[in-house]
Amino acid sequence: MARRRKRKSRRRLEGRRILECVPQYSIESGTDKPVTAARNFIHNENIAPPALLLVKRNEHTTDRYFWAEKGLFGAQYVEENHFLFPSLRALLNEDEEEVVSLSR
């Protein structure tokens, strides 16, 4: 029996496209839990929001977190609800302005 493909959410795809414009940092969690490693890295490096953190848990697993003005969020949640984050809304408006200026 043929498997049906999972439908891709437009809203999530749009959120993923917006997150590509945000600065990304790759770190390893070491002995800490991934969230703790991300928080420590943000504190030690004085990273300003918005930022995307890729935390390598082990050789197979990487957790993705989004650093926003309101705190640290899972990247998948942010992809689905990007309209709730003012910093991403500003990035979305900049992208739309670039597309308009390129089409002229």
Side-chain angles (χ1 to χ4, degrees):
M1 190 167 173
R3 256 182 100 193
R4 291 179 52 172
R5 296 174 92 180
K6 190 173 181 182
R7 183 179 163 274
K8 293 188 178 177
S9 165
R10 284 189 186 145
R11 188 166 74 177
R12 187 156 176 217
L13 288 173
E14 184 181 3
R16 186 171 286 236
R17 186 177 56 82
I18 294 168
L19 282 182
E20 288 174 357
C21 302
V22 174
Q24 294 186 9
Y25 301 92
S26 295
I27 61 173
E28 294 200 19
S29 63
T31 58
D32 294 332
K33 292 182 178 178
V35 175
T36 306
R39 290 185 185 281
N40 289 340
F41 183 77
I42 290 166
H43 178 74
N44 294 337
E45 301 294 323
N46 294 325
I47 296 174
L52 191 65
L53 289 117
L54 307 172
V55 183
K56 193 168 174 90
R57 195 186 319 175
N58 57 40
E59 61 184 272
H60 303 292
T61 310
T62 301
D63 294 330
R64 298 168 53 232
Y65 298 101
F66 178 73
W67 174 235
E69 294 83 4
K70 299 175 184 177
L72 195 62
F73 296 88
Q76 185 173 343
Y77 172 80
V78 176
E79 286 173 357
E80 294 170 358
N81 301 293
H82 56 86
F83 49 87
L84 297 175
F85 296 88
S87 57
L88 292 181
R89 232 182 283 143
L91 282 175
L92 180 62
N93 292 337
E94 289 174 10
D95 284 349
E96 289 173 354
E97 289 173 6
E98 286 178 19
V99 169
V100 169
S101 65
L102 292 174
S103 64
R104 289 183 183 172

